[in-house]
Amino acid sequence: MKKMVGVVIMCVLLLPLFAFGRRDKVEAAQLQQVTVVGQIGVYGNEPHTWLGFVDQKGVEYALDATTDMLQELRGMQGLILEITGELDAIPEGQPVGFQALSGGTLHVQEFKPHASKS
């Protein structure tokens, strides 16, 4: 009986570690550093608009950045930009949520006008 109680107590103590401890590692593995070339897109309806980014292949990304950076990006509509950041892709088959786009969320670290190679 003592052994059974000990096993139950160990299971209760270790369950949170196994159930939740690996989540951060899995989420970190999903983020990948990317550089994407394309244009800013504005989504939604006034006064609740939000910014996205459409790359040269037509893949759409929701943008996540500081308020100042988003304001600066909004002013660069129409320009071809190069954005570097971490991509949080949406797993295949998972539905796209509110204020999300099919390419995932691009956490912007830096951006600049794209210098085309002619």
Side-chain angles (χ1 to χ4, degrees):
M1 182 71 177
K2 282 186 174 182
K3 284 186 180 182
M4 185 62 132
V5 172
V7 169
V8 171
I9 290 173
M10 289 299 289
C11 287
V12 170
L13 293 175
L14 294 177
L15 179 64
L17 291 175
F18 290 114
F20 304 108
R22 296 178 5 150
R23 181 174 292 161
D24 293 336
K25 293 177 185 175
V26 171
E27 287 176 4
Q30 289 177 343
L31 296 179
Q32 55 184 329
Q33 189 77 18
V34 296
T35 298
V36 186
V37 176
Q39 292 183 309
I40 296 296
V42 179
Y43 297 84
N45 297 310
E46 288 291 342
H48 305 290
T49 59
W50 50 284
L51 293 185
F53 192 73
V54 182
D55 73 8
Q56 294 175 324
K57 297 176 184 174
V59 178
E60 297 176 308
Y61 306 93
L63 293 181
D64 175 45
T66 64
T67 303
D68 292 338
M69 191 179 286
L70 289 172
Q71 189 172 16
E72 192 173 345
L73 284 166
R74 185 179 290 267
M76 301 181 94
Q77 290 180 57
L79 299 176
I80 304 293
L81 300 176
E82 187 174 301
I83 294 181
T84 301
E86 289 185 332
L87 176 61
D88 188 1
I90 296 175
E92 192 172 321
Q94 183 175 338
V96 177
F98 179 68
Q99 289 192 350
L101 296 170
S102 60
T105 300
L106 184 55
H107 303 279
V108 182
Q109 294 170 342
E110 65 181 45
F111 63 91
K112 62 183 177 183
H114 179 63
S116 62
K117 299 175 184 175
S118 303

